[in-house]
Amino acid sequence: MGIPEKIKKIEDDIHRTQVNKKTEHHIGLLKAKLAKLKREQEEQASRGGGSSIGYDVKKTGDATVVLVGLPSVGKSTLLNRLTNAKSKVAAYQFTTLTVVPGVMDYRGARIQVLDLPGIIEGASSGRGLGKRVLSVARNADLILFVVDVFQPEAVNVLRRELRNIGIRADESPPNVVIEQTSSGGITVSVQVKLTKISEELVKEILRVYDMNSARVIIREDITDEQLVDVLLGNRVYIPSLTVMNKVDLVNAGFINEITSKIKYKFVPVSAETNINMGALKEEIYQRLNFIRVYMKPRGLEADMKEPLIVKNGSNVLDVCNKLHRRMKEDLKYAQIWGRSVKFGGQKVGITHRLMDEDILTLVTK
Ligand SMILES: Nc1nc2c(ncn2[C@@H]2O[C@H](COP(=O)(O)OP(=O)(O)O)[C@@H](O)[C@H]2O)c(=O)[nH]1
Ligand SMILES: [Mg+2]
């Protein structure tokens, strides 16, 4: 039996099985096997080569945001409003066939915004432009789900499609550590009460992945899917923001009604008539979680007008890389005034993590 047949067989088995307390274990195990087969299928396909050509978009700027939405919800219109881009807008579907980049300058940050061709349901399994396009989203710092005011539930389709290609929107990496050992079988140490998976299922899933000896530490009430995510290791965890477009077509009562009906938060906008675009830009900026670093040449005043914008969590090395390719080699030492140090002018190493509004001096050889 080839991989596609095996996948089909397991999928049929899952569909046939009623979900309840008694079958949970069985289904969990089947899902783990399915994920493994899908990875094998993927590996075979990528050995065939060429599958990602045409959609490798170079990352530029301080962060990258991708627009993900069904066709005709107004992604191109939105891109044109947010950035300097001139993406084609049309009243019919599938206008945009390639990834269109634009740059949004906001509060000193250069934010790259990518308009992905409209996603359709099933894209992750090869329908429409599919996987290649979707996979551009894997490198994003923020996913902007764009929905039409008359179709707010589409966001569930979008989330599912991203999930299928390993993007976990708004999730954090599971707090689980797995260490392969050379002998001793599988030991599971659990530091919280597990309600969604049993220790027995943890062990069986590990065996599916040929881990017969391992130490597992679980610090969070995980699901079987999350365990598989850890085992596969190729998942990406990206925050998202949902934009509800075309609100010019409805009244305030309609929006209130949607707000109470759907569970997620969204930013209501009209790209075409320019409603709420300022608020959207601000929200994007906030979600990207930037910090500002003021550069101070040695012996001179710091430049407090134009901070360097870097991602939260950046260290001195990240700043060096941003400034100049060779900065790292030339660096003698770094000095900081601000919240990340105990005293002003403290010398720090390249792995020192910066905080918002730090003042930084880089002294070169
Ligand atoms: N009424 C209204 N129409 C919009 C808005 N944004 C886009 N459209 C229209 O929706 C259609 C599809 O827009 P487009 O940007 O090409 O959608 P895309 O396929 O998601 O890129 C076009 O006819 C746009 O003029 C909006 O905010 N309000
Ligand atoms: Mg478009």
Side-chain angles (χ1 to χ4, degrees):
M1 211 176 352
I3 294 176
E5 292 78 25
K6 284 186 194 163
I7 288 177
K8 175 87 177 45
K9 190 157 169 278
I10 294 181
E11 279 175 344
D12 289 347
D13 198 349
I14 292 175
H15 286 145
R16 233 183 294 119
T17 313
Q18 282 217 3
V19 184
N20 59 46
K21 210 74 205 153
K22 275 194 206 126
T23 58
E24 239 172 41
H25 187 97
H26 178 64
I27 291 177
L29 203 55
L30 287 175
K31 272 159 52 193
K33 286 181 181 163
L34 190 60
K36 189 180 178 218
L37 284 168
K38 285 195 170 162
R39 177 178 65 179
E40 281 166 22
Q41 189 174 43
E42 209 120 283
E43 282 167 359
Q44 274 190 0
S46 66
R47 268 199 294 278
S51 63
S52 67
I53 289 169
Y55 292 105
D56 291 333
V57 183
K58 194 176 178 307
K59 279 183 92 165
T60 63
D62 301 311
T64 299
V65 176
V66 295
L67 305 181
V68 174
L70 298 180
S72 299
V73 296
K75 295 179 301 300
S76 300
T77 311
L78 192 61
L79 181 81
N80 295 343
R81 276 277 178 229
L82 291 173
T83 73
N84 57 352
K86 291 186 179 55
S87 191
K88 202 174 160 212
V89 172
Y92 50 88
Q93 295 198 347
F94 293 120
T95 317
T96 319
L97 294 175
T98 55
V99 176
V100 182
V103 174
M104 169 177 133
D105 282 305
Y106 188 73
R107 284 184 187 254
R110 282 177 71 75
I111 300 165
Q112 182 182 42
V113 184
L114 301 176
D115 177 16
L116 302 194
I119 308 288
I120 56 168
E121 193 160 9
S124 60
S125 48
R127 281 182 56 202
L129 291 158
K131 245 184 194 155
R132 287 191 295 161
V133 168
L134 276 180
S135 56
V136 170
R138 283 180 66 94
N139 297 314
D141 299 296
L142 178 69
I143 291 165
L144 219 60
F145 289 122
V146 187
V147 296
D148 182 300
V149 71
F150 295 117
Q151 225 185 343
E153 47 326 305
V155 80
N156 299 319
V157 174
L158 305 174
R159 279 181 186 277
R160 204 177 320 126
E161 291 298 319
L162 292 187
R163 178 155 261 287
N164 284 341
I165 59 154
I167 297 176
R168 302 286 174 262
D170 303 315
E171 288 179 33
S172 325
N175 201 340
V176 173
V177 179
I178 302 172
E179 280 170 12
Q180 196 143 20
T181 51
S182 49
S183 63
I186 300 170
T187 58
V188 182
S189 129
V190 182
Q191 302 178 346
V192 286
K193 190 173 155 42
L194 295 182
T195 63
K196 302 170 206 156
I197 193 170
S198 66
E199 281 188 37
E200 201 39 52
L201 184 53
V202 170
K203 289 183 181 175
E204 283 189 45
I205 290 178
L206 254 72
R207 287 187 202 110
V208 168
Y209 285 80
D210 303 316
M211 286 207 173
N212 296 306
S213 244
R215 225 184 344 259
V216 185
I217 304 168
I218 303 177
R219 299 197 188 95
E220 185 189 339
D221 189 17
I222 54 162
T223 62
D224 48 86
E225 274 178 43
Q226 284 177 302
L227 179 65
V228 170
D229 283 350
V230 176
L231 286 161
L232 286 173
N234 60 353
R235 305 314 197 199
V236 289
Y237 298 84
I238 308 175
S240 84
L241 179 65
T242 302
V243 181
M244 191 170 293
N245 191 33
K246 307 195 186 182
V247 296
D248 55 295
L249 299 176
V250 299
N251 58 26
F254 190 92
I255 295 173
N256 287 340
E257 210 171 292
I258 302 176
T259 311
S260 61
K261 221 162 53 191
I262 58 177
K263 278 172 260 135
Y264 62 85
K265 275 200 188 152
F266 59 85
V267 184
V269 302
S270 168
E272 190 150 280
T273 64
N274 211 357
I275 298 173
N276 227 11
M277 296 311 288
L280 176 59
K281 285 184 180 178
E282 179 60 25
E283 190 70 28
I284 291 171
Y285 180 86
Q286 292 298 337
R287 284 298 180 94
L288 286 169
N289 215 359
F290 289 121
I291 59 171
R292 292 156 294 175
V293 177
Y294 300 100
M295 299 305 292
K296 173 176 150 41
R298 187 155 63 148
L300 298 174
E301 291 292 300
D303 175 5
M304 301 304 284
K305 282 218 188 74
E306 276 192 43
L308 214 66
I309 302 288
V310 293
K311 275 182 224 160
N312 193 7
S314 296
N315 60 25
V316 174
L317 178 61
D318 296 321
V319 171
C320 288
N321 288 339
K322 216 172 171 127
L323 288 173
H324 195 282
R325 200 187 296 273
R326 288 212 7 246
M327 192 70 201
K328 187 180 75 172
E329 283 95 71
D330 294 344
L331 186 73
K332 211 155 94 189
Y333 63 88
Q335 258 182 311
I336 291 180
W337 290 257
R339 288 194 292 136
S340 76
V341 288
K342 289 208 189 77
F343 57 90
Q346 190 175 323
K347 283 190 187 177
V348 297
I350 52 167
T351 58
H352 178 84
R353 196 171 147 165
L354 295 151
M355 288 176 77
D356 192 29
E357 297 195 273
D358 271 355
I359 294 172
L360 174 67
T361 295
L362 298 172
V363 179
T364 51
K365 288 170 195 156

